[in-house]
Amino acid sequence: MTTASSASGTTAIEVAGLTRRFRVRSRGFARKEVTAVDGLTLTVGAGESVGYIGANGAGKSTTIKMLAGILVPSAGTVRTCGLEPVRQRRELARRLGVVFGQRSQLWWDLPLAESYRILAAVHSLSPQRERERTAELVERLELGEFLATPVRQLSLGQRMRGEVAAALLHSPALLVLDEPTIGLDVLSKQRLREFLLAERAAHGTTLLLTTHDMGDVSRLCERVLLVDRGRLAYDGSLAGLSKTVGARRVLVVDLAAPAPDLLGVPHAEHLGSEGGGLRQRLAFDDAATTAAAVLSAVSERVEVRDLSVEEPDVEDVVRRIYAAGGR
Amino acid sequence: MRLSPGPQRRGPEQDLPRGAASTWLRVHGRLLASGFRRGAAYRGAALGGLVANVTFGFLKVSVLTAAVAAGGGELGGYDEAAIIAYAWLSQALLGSVNLFGRTDLADRIKDGSVAVDLLRPLDVQTATTAQEVGRALFQLLPRGLPIIVLGVLVGGMRLPTDPATLALGLLSALLAVLLSFLLVYLVAATGFWTVETRGVQVLYMIVSGFLAGLFVPVTLFPQWLYALALATPFPSLLQVPIDVISGRVDGAAALGVVGVQVAWVAAVFAVGHLMTRAGRRRLEVQGG
């Protein structure tokens, strides 16, 4: 379906011994060398959907910049879509789409639609292909309402949808998303995730995403790579990761009246109570039960007025890996 | 530029021949147009620029005509009419010829947004220059043309009416705009090594304006300074287009100075190309 991936075999990303060192100023004129990525070796097959997670400063963005040919590695080899990123940057740019959550690739002062016109020319899309692909993305990402609005006037949620469309306009074989849901509200996150699932189903796009939101990973990714201090600390399924570290979700319930601690709910652990028992927090493991089952067990005992579910975040997972002596 | 061969290099979604000159022109044409529209997005700023350019235009005219009068009605080959034309034309070009050294690219290298530029199948130098030139060309409408009209109607400026002279003058002005953005690209590209380029920008601003003839015509410089100026591309930014538009230099001499402009465009482009290739490997993209 995607010619770029079939032309380069079945491997989207191939990295061996990848290392990047930076020299940073420490005190005065003294310079210190920092290793951001340290001997990373990994392979991502075409069509895979991979979450690349780690704490701040773990080396995620540095890796992505080397994958895209923006940054020259200090050591090791990279092949992205079968190409050498730095030497074949422009050829790679035709097969790769990247969304940096913190940077815009849209033309700030111009109406959103104008960015797509420029990018279509940049990627040498034929007029027919430009019309079809733009129409498809505008419809599926619901951009129609603000196509004529200058990018600087868009809300964050609108702009992120616009960014994703910009990265996908040339139908890349590999889509890299660096913190795509940062700062988005729950509804915007949900819409973006649904779109990405549909896009993968329709075009077989390979997906690599970095995030701090385990919700992104659990809904979008079949495989998780956990990087810590520049090294690969875990490579496997999310379920396996949760099992290793016991990352649990937390159900927070607000009750109609203060109640004693909700102990003994099946597969759930009472973490604590606030307001004399008005608000209670219960941790549960997705593998053993569901939020609905925990809630119904709680509802049998007390009257619930409000609730929310807290997702485990990446920092939490990383912390637990070390607490468990995972490496 | 080579035509790309074969279906392997061309996906079904990219059915325009990629290496072809026509595709290159289409991309850069659209980038130029996008720059033009970006310029149009800030009409208030353009109006502010016009007011400033006109104000300094009147100052410049009064100072330079006084100098000509003190010189007995002639100064270094300029009579009163010629110096008035010089003053107004230099002000008209000032909105489009970059003598300030500031560019978006310098900021983008500093804050790391240049990463996004490198994600595109484009040459950073040509893509950046096309957009900046587009933005500068827009400035001819709210700033360049009104000042010329004002100079003629109120300022007592006379321009040649011969279409060939005016056409060559327009070409020379466009070359000056292009050359200025190829030069400020070099300023920004030093950021690949140093990240912060403000020092180089200030140096460029001081040197380029002076040697381009922003304050007084280069031809009025003392001999040694005149020779020094001619060894730089800067006179091609103002002195040359003004001479050609006003008809002070015409015929074969005009073709000659425009030829010098073309040579500077080629040379500065080549330097920028080499700097981009070397600098890209030095780039350390800042921030997340």
Side-chain angles (χ1 to χ4, degrees):
Chain A
M1 191 172 281
T2 44
T3 48
S5 62
S6 62
S8 59
T10 52
T11 311
I13 298 171
E14 226 178 328
V15 161
L18 187 65
T19 301
R20 173 71 209 204
R21 288 181 285 268
F22 290 103
R23 301 183 73 184
V24 294
R25 204 168 292 160
S26 53
R27 205 178 299 161
F29 288 103
R31 298 223 165 196
K32 186 174 79 172
E33 199 156 82
V34 171
T35 306
V37 174
D38 190 2
L40 197 66
T41 298
L42 58 93
T43 304
V44 174
E48 272 197 272
S49 166
V50 177
Y52 190 50
I53 63 176
N56 283 325
K60 304 184 300 283
S61 291
T62 305
T63 310
I64 287 177
K65 283 168 195 154
M66 289 192 283
L67 290 175
I70 295 167
L71 203 58
V72 182
S74 305
T77 57
V78 203
R79 285 189 90 78
T80 310
C81 301
L83 301 169
E84 278 180 50
V86 172
R87 198 170 59 79
Q88 296 172 293
R89 173 183 70 84
R90 285 160 70 176
E91 189 58 34
L92 176 59
R94 300 184 181 279
R95 304 183 187 182
L96 173 69
V98 181
V99 176
F100 287 119
Q102 316 268 38
R103 304 190 190 286
S104 182
Q105 57 191 312
L106 303 167
W107 275 258
W108 200 242
D109 316 305
L110 299 178
L112 181 61
E114 199 59 40
S115 287
Y116 302 137
R117 277 175 42 81
I118 300 166
L119 286 170
V122 162
H123 286 288
S124 320
L125 301 192
S126 69
Q128 189 203 345
R129 180 70 204 162
E130 176 184 346
R131 267 196 310 278
E132 288 172 3
R133 185 63 172 158
T134 309
E136 182 191 1
L137 290 168
V138 165
E139 192 201 316
R140 301 215 341 251
L141 281 162
E142 297 169 57
L143 309 175
E145 267 176 54
F146 46 87
L147 267 180
T149 309
V151 172
R152 64 185 138 84
Q153 291 172 13
L154 298 181
S155 74
L156 181 64
Q158 292 172 333
R159 207 202 72 198
M160 279 314 298
R161 272 142 66 199
E163 299 280 355
V164 171
L168 284 169
L169 194 69
H170 59 298
S171 310
L174 171 63
L175 178 65
V176 176
L177 303 159
D178 192 5
E179 303 280 0
T181 57
I182 202 161
L184 295 189
D185 61 53
V186 178
L187 188 65
S188 301
K189 270 185 194 176
Q190 189 53 31
R191 284 161 98 182
L192 193 55
R193 286 169 184 161
E194 277 166 15
F195 166 79
L196 290 170
L197 287 171
E199 175 69 18
R200 275 197 72 214
H203 300 285
T205 314
T206 311
L207 198 68
L208 178 74
L209 98 112
T210 79
T211 182
H212 280 263
D213 186 329
M214 289 306 277
D216 287 346
V217 179
S218 64
R219 282 163 190 76
L220 292 171
C221 303
E222 299 149 352
R223 180 178 162 200
V224 178
L225 299 170
L226 190 145
V227 67
D228 181 64
R229 280 168 272 177
R231 292 163 189 260
L232 201 59
Y234 176 85
D235 177 355
S237 67
L238 180 64
L241 182 66
S242 302
K243 206 182 283 172
T244 315
V245 300
R248 295 176 302 179
R249 300 167 78 198
V250 175
L251 179 71
V252 183
V253 286
D254 287 353
L255 308 179
D261 291 353
L262 292 159
L263 301 171
V265 177
H267 305 295
E269 183 198 343
H270 180 262
L271 291 181
S273 298
E274 294 165 34
L278 261 179
R279 168 173 289 183
Q280 306 210 7
R281 297 158 54 82
L282 295 114
F284 63 97
D285 188 341
D286 256 344
T289 185
T290 62
V294 176
L295 179 63
S296 85
V298 169
S299 303
E300 280 171 18
R301 289 161 57 171
V302 289
E303 189 187 339
V304 177
R305 297 187 60 156
D306 200 0
L307 66 104
S308 63
V309 178
E310 291 173 357
E311 305 285 343
D313 81 347
V314 170
E315 270 79 8
D316 191 36
V317 172
V318 174
R319 220 176 298 121
R320 280 161 180 274
I321 267 210
Y322 287 101
R327 189 164 65 102
Chain B
M1 217 149 279
R2 193 169 57 88
L3 281 166
S4 24
Q8 213 198 337
R9 293 173 60 92
R10 268 166 65 180
E13 64 276 6
Q14 289 141 9
D15 47 358
L16 296 182
R18 276 193 226 143
S22 62
T23 310
W24 189 93
L25 283 174
R26 180 168 175 264
V27 175
H28 288 81
R30 240 185 232 193
L31 289 172
L32 191 95
S34 77
F36 194 85
R37 285 197 204 95
R38 280 190 66 199
Y42 296 100
R43 296 199 182 90
L47 187 69
L50 174 66
V51 171
N53 292 158
V54 167
T55 309
F56 280 95
F58 279 112
L59 282 173
K60 220 155 142 177
V61 165
S62 61
V63 169
L64 288 173
T65 50
V68 168
E74 199 259 309
L75 187 66
Y78 284 88
D79 58 15
E80 194 188 68
I83 207 78
I84 287 175
Y86 192 94
W88 286 117
L89 288 174
S90 63
Q91 290 306 100
L93 287 170
L94 196 52
S96 300
V97 174
N98 188 329
L99 294 175
F100 300 97
R102 272 217 57 236
T103 46
D104 274 2
L105 181 65
D107 297 339
R108 294 176 70 78
I109 289 176
K110 192 175 166 188
D111 71 16
S113 322
V114 69
V116 172
D117 302 328
L118 290 168
L119 288 174
R120 297 186 177 133
L122 296 174
D123 180 85
V124 176
Q125 186 193 16
T126 58
T128 305
T129 307
Q131 295 183 69
E132 296 277 2
V133 167
R135 221 165 143 188
L137 290 181
F138 172 79
Q139 300 299 325
L140 288 176
L141 301 181
R143 290 169 73 176
L145 286 177
I147 290 174
I148 289 177
V149 169
L150 200 76
V152 169
L153 294 182
V154 188
M157 176 169 72
R158 283 189 302 278
L159 286 180
T161 47
D162 162 32
T165 304
L166 287 176
L168 192 64
L170 183 64
L171 174 66
S172 180
L174 294 179
L175 283 168
V177 172
L178 174 61
L179 179 59
S180 75
F181 282 97
L182 289 171
L183 281 166
V184 294
Y185 178 85
L186 303 187
V187 173
T190 61
F192 285 131
W193 287 268
T194 62
V195 180
E196 172 63 68
T197 55
R198 228 174 311 171
V200 189
Q201 280 171 22
V202 170
L203 184 68
Y204 175 89
M205 181 168 78
I206 294 166
V207 172
S208 70
F210 184 65
L211 296 182
L214 179 61
F215 310 109
V216 290
V218 178
T219 46
L220 297 187
F221 286 180
Q223 193 56 43
W224 66 272
L225 192 57
Y226 181 62
L228 179 76
L230 287 192
T232 72
F234 301 117
S236 287
L237 299 182
L238 280 184
Q239 180 78 45
V240 169
I242 292 169
D243 283 347
V244 177
I245 296 169
S246 65
R248 209 181 76 88
V249 173
D250 58 5
L255 288 174
V257 292
V258 172
V260 169
Q261 283 186 300
V262 173
W264 276 119
V265 164
V268 175
F269 175 82
V271 173
H273 186 74
L274 294 175
M275 277 178 79
T276 310
R277 268 179 42 181
R280 214 167 71 63
R281 297 185 158 267
R282 291 293 305 265
L283 178 68
E284 293 189 355
V285 174
Q286 310 278 302

